[in-house]
Amino acid sequence: PKEDDILSVSVMVGDSITLHTDITDVPRDSKIIWKFGDEIIARMNEADGHPSTYDGPGVIFKDRLKLDRQTGSLTITNIRTEHIGHYSVDIKGIDAKLKTFQVTVHDVVESLSVMEGDSVTLHTGVKVQGDDQILWENIHLNDQTRDLVISNIRSDQTGVYKVEINTISMVLHRKFYIAVGGGVKTVSVMERDPVNLHTGVIEIRGYDLILWKTEGNLVAEINKGINFFGPRDVDDLRFSGRLHLHRETGDLTISDSKTTDSGDYHLHMSNSAYTLQRTIRVTVKSE
């Protein structure tokens, strides 16, 4: 059969994804066979119209597969990292066709804890094409990225956010849980006391980039892309030697505080799934 190019699909743990055959109706007298690697995981004959799905190696697909009778498309629900690999659909009939997918599953944090007043961006995680359809709950976004941006988030916006991404090759369902809590957004200390600025996370493993800025200057950074961890106080000499970054949480401490340290400090934390932005107002009082 004729083989198309391999389609790369990147999803997150817990997503549900439908891999399309690109046909609207299964051709007469044709047979559809889906494989994961070399192992058959689903099949259907047009003549009887009864799809069969299999548990796969190590029963990793048990109760997760559904084959559409009309199109032959395959849905994988609640996907996990063990489902990473090569998928192929062989459509045997008058016009034989083989379509292949390389599915990558990212084990990222699926829930996000934020504070009231934060700004949150939820990423679709896909490169948007002109005809693709992105639906966030009942909101249809038409901007370039089609990510969902929630500015100045409120406690009553706690909940599950769902997105459907419909492209020519797949349908992807993704969900995020956002918990909005209270917290300290202003810090007031006496001069020479330490200023502690918190990210609010227990561990920073789920983030690829964490930035602390003030007055437009970058003062601390955790960047997995360039393997950097530490203060960036070159642009702001007033902090020289007084910035300390917590390795586990990304919290920033300014030691031996001065009144000139007063101002707004901006936190940026991001990964492939979402971006969080927070502003903390610091006041250092003289004795």
Side-chain angles (χ1 to χ4, degrees):
K2 180 182 177 182
E3 183 173 359
D4 290 346
D5 293 335
I6 297 176
L7 294 166
S8 296
V9 180
S10 181
V11 300
M12 296 193 300
V13 167
D15 286 349
S16 294
I17 185 169
T18 300
L19 304 177
H20 290 318
T21 58
D22 289 343
I23 55 178
T24 55
D25 290 285
V26 177
R28 189 174 183 84
D29 299 326
S30 63
K31 180 188 295 184
I32 291 180
I33 298 175
W34 280 94
K35 289 184 177 181
F36 175 63
D38 294 326
E39 185 154 348
I40 294 176
I41 56 174
R43 67 195 314 161
M44 183 180 71
N45 290 321
E46 183 275 335
D48 56 36
H50 294 299
S52 299
T53 58
Y54 307 94
D55 293 340
V59 202
I60 62 173
F61 292 105
K62 183 175 176 61
D63 300 325
R64 282 186 165 90
L65 299 180
K66 181 181 179 182
L67 198 60
D68 188 283
R69 293 185 182 186
Q70 182 176 344
T71 65
S73 297
L74 180 70
T75 297
I76 310 168
T77 61
N78 191 24
I79 202 164
R80 317 304 295 179
T81 53
E82 57 262 34
H83 303 132
I84 291 173
H86 188 86
Y87 293 76
S88 62
V89 57
D90 191 354
I91 305 169
K92 299 180 181 294
I94 297 175
D95 296 319
K97 184 178 181 181
L98 180 65
K99 188 174 183 180
T100 58
F101 304 82
Q102 181 63 40
V103 174
T104 303
V105 183
H106 298 285
D107 187 9
V108 299
V109 179
E110 298 174 354
S111 60
L112 174 61
S113 295
V114 302
M115 295 166 57
E116 280 195 299
D118 288 351
S119 293
V120 179
T121 301
L122 304 180
H123 304 305
T124 61
V126 300
K127 185 177 181 180
V128 178
Q129 304 296 324
D131 296 330
D132 294 347
Q133 185 179 54
I134 312 291
L135 294 171
W136 284 96
E137 304 237 292
N138 296 319
I139 303 170
H140 192 177
L141 302 185
N142 293 313
D143 63 348
Q144 187 175 359
T145 64
R146 307 193 193 176
D147 294 339
L148 179 65
V149 179
I150 310 170
S151 300
N152 194 25
I153 199 166
R154 306 185 309 267
S155 58
D156 60 3
Q157 292 172 321
T158 290
V160 175
Y161 291 76
K162 298 178 181 179
V163 60
E164 178 182 295
I165 303 164
N166 196 331
T167 74
I168 191 172
S169 60
M170 66 176 181
V171 175
L172 174 63
H173 291 89
R174 176 166 293 168
K175 64 181 179 180
F176 305 80
Y177 178 75
I178 298 180
V180 185
V184 177
K185 301 299 282 293
T186 59
V187 175
S188 180
V189 300
M190 299 303 295
E191 199 170 16
R192 289 194 290 274
D193 286 344
V195 176
N196 296 306
L197 306 178
H198 300 291
T199 61
V201 298
I202 298 174
E203 57 181 348
I204 59 175
R205 199 170 49 184
Y207 291 94
D208 300 320
L209 181 67
I210 296 178
L211 304 175
W212 285 100
K213 294 182 178 181
T214 185
E215 296 182 359
N217 294 329
L218 178 63
V219 294
E221 178 179 7
I222 300 172
N223 190 328
K224 292 182 180 178
I226 60 174
N227 195 29
F228 182 86
F229 179 102
R232 291 278 200 188
D233 48 11
V234 176
D235 293 332
D236 206 325
L237 298 178
R238 60 180 172 155
F239 296 113
S240 183
R242 297 190 296 118
L243 296 178
H244 310 278
L245 202 56
H246 194 285
R247 186 164 291 276
E248 295 298 322
T249 64
D251 293 347
L252 180 67
T253 297
I254 307 170
S255 62
D256 190 23
S257 65
K258 304 176 182 179
T259 56
T260 53
D261 297 337
S262 298
D264 289 345
Y265 290 75
H266 306 286
L267 170 66
H268 172 106
M269 300 197 298
S270 63
N271 58 27
S272 60
Y274 48 76
T275 297
L276 179 149
Q277 296 185 80
R278 175 177 301 155
T279 298
I280 303 175
R281 179 153 295 178
V282 171
T283 301
V284 180
K285 302 175 182 178
S286 59
E287 296 180 358

